Amino acid sequence: MKRASSPGNVKKAVLLVGSGYGALKVAQDLAQSGHYLVWVTKAPHFLELPGGRASFTEWPEDLEFQFRPLYLRVTRHPRVTALTHARIESIEQGPDGYRITAVQDPLYVDYDLCTGCGRCMEVCPIHNTTHPPLRRTPAYCPSRALDLDKRKPSPCRTACPLGVNVQAYMALTASSRFDEALDVIRRDNPLPGICGRVCHHPCEQSCRRATVDEAVAICSVKRFLADRDLSQRKPRFDETGREKRPERIAVIGAGPAGLTAAHYLNRAGFPVTIFEAHHEAGGMLRLGINAFRLPRAILDAEIRAIVDSGVEIRTGTTVKSLQDLFGEGFRAVLICTGAHRDLRLGIPGDDAEGVLGAVEMLRSLHTGKMSALQGDVAVIGGGNSAFDAARAAVRLGADSVTVYYRRERGDMPASLSEIREAEQEGIRIEFRCAPVNISVKGGKATGLTLIRMKMGKPDKSGRRRPEPIAGSEYSVPADRVIAAIGQQPHLSGLQDHVKTDSAGRVNVDKKFSSSRPGVFAAGDVVTGPDTVVGSMAQGRQAASRVSAWLRGARISPDGNAETHSVGEYLDAPKDQPKLVRARMPLREAARRRRDFGEVEKGFSAEQAVAEANRCLQCSSCCECRACESVCRDIGAIDHARASRRVSFVSPAVIVASEDEFARRDMLGQKGIYRVGEFKSATDIVNVLMAGSASAGQAMADCLSLRHPGIPAEPRELPDDREPRIGVFVCTCNGTLASSGALDRIRDLAARMPGAVHSELIVSACHPRGAERIAAAFRNQRLSRVILASCVCCPLEFQCISCNDQRNRARVHLFNRLGLDRCRFETINIRDHLGGPEISEDQAVANARDFLREAFLRARVLGPLRGGTTKMGNRILVLGGSEVGLSCAHILDLQGFKVRLVHRCRLKGGQDLPEGIARRPVTDTIGKAITHVPEAEIESIKGHLGDFHVTASEGGQRRQWKADIVCLTDLNLLPLAIPVDMFGLKKFYRFNFAFFNTPQIGVFRVMPRTLGRVSAFQAGAALAAHVATAAAEAFLKDHELSPRVDPERCRGCGRCVEICTFDAVRLVPNDRGFYTAEVLRHNCVGCGGCVGRCPVTAMDMPYFSNRLLEEITACTLGEDR
Amino acid sequence: MNEIDRIIKAQSLFQCLECGKCSAACPRRLTGKEYSPRLLAHKVIAEREDEAFIENAVWDCLSCGMCSERCPSGVKFSGFILDMRTLLAETKGLQGYRAHDGAIHSWMRMMTAPELEQNRLDWVSEDLGVAESGDVAFFVGCAPYFDVFFAGIEVDTLSIAKDSIRLLNFMDIKPVLLRDERCCGHDLLWTGDRENFERLCRLNYETFRAAGVREIVVSCPECYHVLSEHMPRVIPGFDIKITLLLDLLQREVHKGGKAFRSLKRRATYQDPCRLGRMAGRYAAPRELLGLIPELRLAEMENSGPSALCCGNCGFINCDAHSKQIQVQRLQEARATGAEMLITACPKCLIHLTCAIRDRLRQGSVKMEIRDILSVLADQIAWYGG
Amino acid sequence: METSADMKKSAGKKQVRLLGICCNWSPFACYNAAGMARLAMPPDFRLMRVMCIGRINQALILRAFEYGADGVILLECLDEDCRYGPGPGVGHENVRRVRKLLHLLGIDQERLVERSFGAHEKDVLVETLWRFADQIQALGPMTGGDALGVKRPAL
């Protein structure tokens, strides 16, 4: 959640585990009492209730709002490192406390940067599905940041040798965003049109849709996208951000591997030249694959695209010597010559005329050496090339074509569609037979003798080994025997330059480097015959190795950034309707067998979209990265973000939700505290109390961790008659209004009287946005700033309508960059300019009204109250109940100077509870506590930081000074200003600080909270709260607290009557009557007293009398 | 010729001898406020560049008229203040801090709307004899408004209006009450808002004419001050007779046939500045009160022409000093041994009552305050009745 | 500025001027939430925020009318929710008093209303504002729309 901006690399901090209101309270008490804190939860935000929201008995509908200020204060507290999506990796007991390592899953959306503008959701192709990957934190959480749900990469993607992001282009196709879809493919595959036809698509084998009905027809969708693109324009690659490298590279062979390698080397910035022996590029694609499967137009177009993007291809050039290439200035050579030499049958007569290899046959066909073929044709083998040869033979006019295969149909490597289509075209297939002899007459083959096979034990390929059946020989007529039993590489002269194996394959290490430095090899020439996509993958990997080698770098980024996503696939919904897989339309067999026209017609757009919609989107976010593109200026979204590790030492650990704390065994141990028993916590107040209690206990262990804050100097406004006003309009990543409207608003502001600067900024809550403002503020020597964003006010406090973005903007501007808030006027036009549906004119007009008011306010701005008072650490605990004892004890351990009065009475007040009256006074607890056995308390005077408590101790009158007074026995409550604190809503007033009395600094046990927690816990909680008040060592005035003009004040006392917080008192003046005086320490800045004053002798900052009047005038004035 | 020079001339400020009698008597000065009519006069004449001082001083004045009263050379100081405020308000905008955050001025200004149709007479009950039409109208003034606004401090200004009508009835006068009567504009006038003041004058005059009345009876000294002195200057050919109720009573009582029931109280009388120093009515109220048997009227230390102001005028610049004046005044009243303080102006009633609320002083300044007309109305009777 | 002129035209009949005086807590939370939810507000409704309705006095409300408001609505917290205690009470008292003054002035008391909200009631708030706007629209602009014809002296 928080990253660099948090207190960097925390060395020592308290660990808090879990989410919920209890945890929130713990964090508040610890942070505000000066302790560094690492807050870890697996939840996406900190309010997820361990007990479950439903379990709370007392829950006013607006309660969640009431916690917003607390949430913002704590999660953005400089001492708090708050980690969502995180867990404890390890925790060991060390000499100086627990050594802890916490891990935070990658935050694909950075909580510190996200403006919540929502553009990412608009562009996400799967946002309007049952499981949108991008979601806002729930309404009750004041963060508007988004959460991105990412799972492990989808099976289709991992199955693809090229790692093409299938899920992404399915998602985009499903929403008819065809161009983007194709771009996704082209990222990883430069030959989509070719692969869309001839790929053996392992993706479809792995498709999880098959568990519902049938696998998605991924390959055909890819073909549709490529064809559509080709039909519209020449295919092109996105050329952005390419560096230029000097090193020239030679690639030998323009087949799938060579082309792919050349493409990626070229993209990596290297000048690449491909040497192709044949007079046309394409290698096996062109020579080995039939035109009716792969039309030459497609092949040419996609090769052309690669050439156009800068790859040179020298066709008809056979490389005889590598030395020459290096001589020519090439720095590296990549051999991708493939495997073009057919394996011979190795039976009698296989050298006769009419006997030839499949590749040989196809090559002569495709180079025009063969145009017709008569008689009976026998094809040996069951692979794609067997069927390519057979189907070619049919089209060349053979009388009969039969394929002989030694295993079962299911064992054939050829693709099912290939086999199906071949049979439709009248090709016979005989299984379980192998050739043994070719009968020859006059040097020409006339027939073929085969032997029947039976299936034996499975071999290492997992297929059962065929064994001949003795005496089952039989003969068939055959004018042509075509051997399609495999090919092997053939280096035509280069073999003596690099080491090869028996099968003629080039030996390479895993870096694709051959025996000779600078010479690499990839594709079939290394692996032996492989699939198209397999060879391409080889080419691509080789390319990155070559470029790494040339750069002398480690593996170079090849545009496919590592994804760190984790987590299981989404399950297909139970009620997922079954849908048949789209069928590929074919040309009618009788017609197609006569020519070489393409057989498969391809999908229509409707088919493609429907098919893509069948995709289950297994890993939620499909990583199409559309969101990244709209978030570029903000940079909140990064799909390649890594997880984060925080290691620190903590003397104490607080567990707020046990199911997030794996080491149950540790729970009992010293220094490990639990926030109540949550599953049974049914009362919010109880939970908060438990939170404070455990915070208090933890504090006792953390004395060394306390760092009191230093207050900021109060700022006065310069007396500038002619203010220089700068206006900044936050466009919220361009979502505020149309760019036209934005420009007009900026110019409008620039024209307003007093404006010297007007600027549009991408985002005010973004660090860079804030920095722009700060820079302009200094460069333009501005004296007032108007910030038009979603920020409502520049004040320091957070209110219940605040959210993280608003708060963050202020933290950046005022806390981080040190601008003074009293020079700022902020207007929330983000939320009140009017929806996106309003016209540009309307938007500008509304903005104008906002700005007029803002300019007026900016002129009237006055200084905020910024005084501070030194605080001591003298704490007086009145009452020796368990509450008092534990409170005093814990405070003592924290180094406060505690005076504990064990038995307190009030004159004429209630008597002591029996238990306390009879308990023997022991001064064993506490090192530095001053114990007073018994006293009668008369009065408490003064204010936080300076109380005077008068008491009589053993008939002797005493006056104790204290910075804070705690009333820990119920019989003392009359000393506190009485206020009804029963009923949850009463706590709103005191920000859920149960111990507050209207007199800040006098704290008391809450009858309501006693009995909910043990007296000991109540004491600890009270101690925690006292620490939050005392630890800062300085007491800050409320920025809005009013001033009294003694020359005007008539001492009528209306102000005193209205104030609930006892923040105004009347002091006699030398005129013989009273003058009102504001007790800054008690004031909460509501301005009630200001409103009541009959002679405007009182006025407050920011909501001053003058301001309110001028605002009224301005918003209603005739000139409006 | 410069506007200020014109004012100086018009209010004969040049006659100032800088003797300082004014400052010595000025109640503002009395409370230790940095304020001195003499110095102001001096600055305006000799050091006009010290605008800050002049402006503050001009708005600080209570316009109680004590200075003019004491001036041996006839400087019309109050008039000078009035003109200066008008001038400053026009040139630099209204200044001086408004009591009650200007609520009172606000409604007074709202009354300048010609279309206004007020409901200001709901309080008129059966027992009050009023006429639909006639020669004589009674000018109610702002009593109904104050009655609402000051309900918080228990001042009942409306009863003054009721008692006034009872007194008129007693003298066989059934006054016409004007539904669309506006505020007399006194406070706007004295806070420099001349334009709105004149609007009010004109509207009021139209109302008088529309009702066809010839004479307006006024109970409030401020209304009387405006209607009798300033309105005629605004309305050319102003032809309405303005009568002060106290004068009318005095006349009628002299005619005989009327007497007062006895009231066994010790009382003292507060001269309102608009009635005393500005209208010279010192005798009338005392004579009338003197007719009440057993009412023992004691004079305060400062009374008659040197009576102390109630501390505020026109609801601006009410402050600690005003309070101090009020406290002092109340102490003077108590010093006479009176149980009841009788005043003749609703504003005095309001301001002094406000001061009495003081928590610290309640013991020493608490006393009953009543308006003279209420006292008279309660005690008046037929001869031997 | 021509745009706002166009607005007025498009709005057809004379627009009434509405002022909302809004407590910073529950009502403002509603108002903000409504804005974030892009709920439409009545045209010509302006909001003046204060920390607490207790800050408001009779003068501020009266002045709104003096300065040309055709309707004023006080947006308050529920009595028991007030962060500071007395706020809503003060609101009730001010409204009660000012309404009396308005009556004296012959101004329809319905032009001044107060409503209180819980922090979660954004829809209620928006609905209330529209109802308020309609109500004032029905009463029409005060005296021909140009406020009370009051000449406001320079401040």
Side-chain angles (χ1 to χ4, degrees), chain B residues 87-159:
Chain B
L87 174 65
L88 288 175
E90 277 163 6
T91 53
K92 307 208 163 170
L94 286 188
Q95 282 161 40
Y97 39 93
R98 300 154 305 184
H100 308 285
D101 203 6
I104 295 155
H105 308 90
S106 204
W107 84 56
M108 287 172 174
R109 258 180 226 111
M110 286 161 90
M111 286 194 206
T112 61
E115 306 84 346
L116 217 57
E117 290 177 358
Q118 302 174 68
N119 307 306
R120 53 171 21 251
L121 297 180
D122 299 359
W123 51 272
V124 179
S125 46
E126 286 308 311
D127 59 320
L128 299 175
V130 296
E132 277 311 306
S133 61
D135 290 348
V136 183
F138 174 69
F139 194 83
V140 176
C142 288
Y145 291 85
F146 289 144
D147 190 57
V148 173
F149 194 80
F150 290 111
I153 59 168
E154 297 98 26
V155 274
D156 174 9
T157 48
L158 204 46
S159 65

Side-chain angles (χ1 to χ4, degrees), chain A residues 994-1115:
Chain A
F994 318 102
F995 310 104
N996 281 6
T997 66
Q999 171 58 61
I1000 295 170
V1002 172
F1003 302 116
R1004 62 167 190 184
V1005 287
M1006 254 288 300
R1008 169 173 170 142
T1009 57
L1010 285 177
R1012 290 164 184 262
V1013 292
S1014 77
F1016 173 73
Q1017 281 178 306
L1022 177 54
H1025 190 68
V1026 169
T1028 62
E1032 287 303 339
F1034 285 88
L1035 181 65
K1036 206 167 173 312
D1037 296 351
H1038 193 288
E1039 56 197 332
L1040 292 181
S1041 95
R1043 288 185 170 78
V1044 180
D1045 176 349
E1047 283 288 293
R1048 290 199 208 175
C1049 176
R1050 294 173 47 89
C1052 64
R1054 290 178 173 87
C1055 42
V1056 178
E1057 287 160 17
I1058 194 107
C1059 184
T1060 325
F1061 292 83
D1062 202 39
V1064 196
R1065 68 172 166 210
L1066 293 172
V1067 290
N1069 59 20
D1070 52 14
R1071 298 200 169 85
F1073 51 91
Y1074 283 121
T1075 304
E1077 179 185 276
V1078 176
L1079 290 165
R1080 317 173 299 161
H1081 314 78
N1082 290 6
C1083 179
V1084 293
C1086 70
C1089 46
V1090 179
R1092 297 282 71 63
C1093 182
V1095 293
T1096 60
M1098 265 185 160
D1099 208 348
M1100 71 193 293
Y1102 201 69
F1103 296 101
S1104 66
N1105 292 315
R1106 167 143 185 249
L1107 183 86
L1108 294 192
E1109 170 156 13
E1110 299 217 0
I1111 290 299
T1112 325
C1114 159
T1115 47

Side-chain angles (χ1 to χ4, degrees), chain B residues 341-360:
Chain B
L341 173 61
I342 300 173
T343 176
C345 174
K347 302 290 180 72
C348 297
L349 189 67
I350 292 165
H351 295 145
L352 292 171
T353 313
C354 175
I356 283 179
R357 279 168 50 90
D358 185 282
R359 298 162 159 220
L360 180 64

